[in-house]
Amino acid sequence: MGIAASVIAVAAMTAPAEAQRSISCSSDNGKRHYCNVETRGGVSMQRQRSDAACEEGYSWGYDRRGIWVDHGCRADFKVDSVDSALAAPPERLTLTCSSSDGKRHFCQADTLQGVRLFHKLSDTRCTEGYSWGFDRHGVWVDHGCRAEFRLHQGMR
């Protein structure tokens, strides 16, 4: 084996394993359904497969048990591995922000690396751009939305 072939062989052996995978999860009966999967690396929706809306925090989300879907949501989700989360370790902070009186409230936070609705706490729907959103100074909620938000903080 020549030097070039040896370098290629070593590079192939040390290449990182697949850092993410895709999983389909469905609420076919309109009720909450869990898909058991390791979620510590993070989850994002790749493709909606249902006519019913798939809205994070309302009809889909994830927690320690796995990905949950509800209200007829059917979708494919990208699941990042814990190893990929460790390789590029964003610090994930959770912020609770509430519009308990139905009016707009602002929760100051570092949102430069992005924000995601993590867990809806209210019976009222939380829709990005209508009842929640964020700018460079923090997260705002309105119209009765109460939720926990994930703030992604990059390593500096």
Side-chain angles (χ1 to χ4, degrees):
M1 183 182 294
I3 294 175
S6 297
V7 171
I8 292 169
V10 170
M13 290 187 308
T14 59
E18 183 66 29
Q20 60 190 15
R21 65 183 181 130
S22 182
I23 183 171
S24 292
C25 200
S26 301
S27 167
D28 291 325
N29 61 359
K31 296 184 180 177
R32 183 167 287 214
H33 174 76
Y34 265 92
C35 294
N36 294 324
V37 65
E38 175 59 61
T39 60
R40 286 184 295 166
V43 174
S44 60
M45 186 174 70
Q46 286 182 308
R47 186 175 129 192
Q48 182 172 319
R49 294 182 171 271
S50 60
D51 291 332
C54 291
E55 180 181 321
E56 188 173 7
Y58 171 71
S59 54
W60 80 271
Y62 64 97
D63 56 26
R64 291 184 191 129
R65 285 180 54 195
I67 299 170
W68 59 266
V69 289
D70 204 350
H71 306 286
C73 172
R74 289 190 318 270
D76 297 333
F77 298 92
K78 179 182 80 166
V79 181
D80 291 323
S81 73
V82 176
D83 292 341
S84 70
L86 295 175
E91 182 182 343
R92 291 186 179 101
L93 303 174
T94 302
L95 168 75
T96 301
C97 201
S98 301
S99 167
S100 299
D101 59 2
K103 296 180 181 176
R104 184 171 287 221
H105 290 271
F106 187 80
C107 299
Q108 192 169 359
D110 178 359
T111 60
L112 294 177
Q113 301 295 317
V115 175
R116 293 181 59 177
L117 190 144
F118 177 64
H119 182 72
K120 185 173 77 78
L121 302 171
S122 59
D123 292 332
T124 306
R125 289 182 70 171
C126 293
T127 304
E128 187 173 7
Y130 171 72
S131 53
W132 80 271
F134 68 97
D135 61 24
R136 64 187 184 121
H137 301 292
V139 176
W140 59 266
V141 290
D142 203 350
H143 305 288
C145 174
R146 284 185 306 118
E148 292 176 351
F149 298 91
R150 276 262 166 94
L151 309 173
H152 296 280
Q153 305 296 310
M155 299 304 285
R156 295 185 178 114

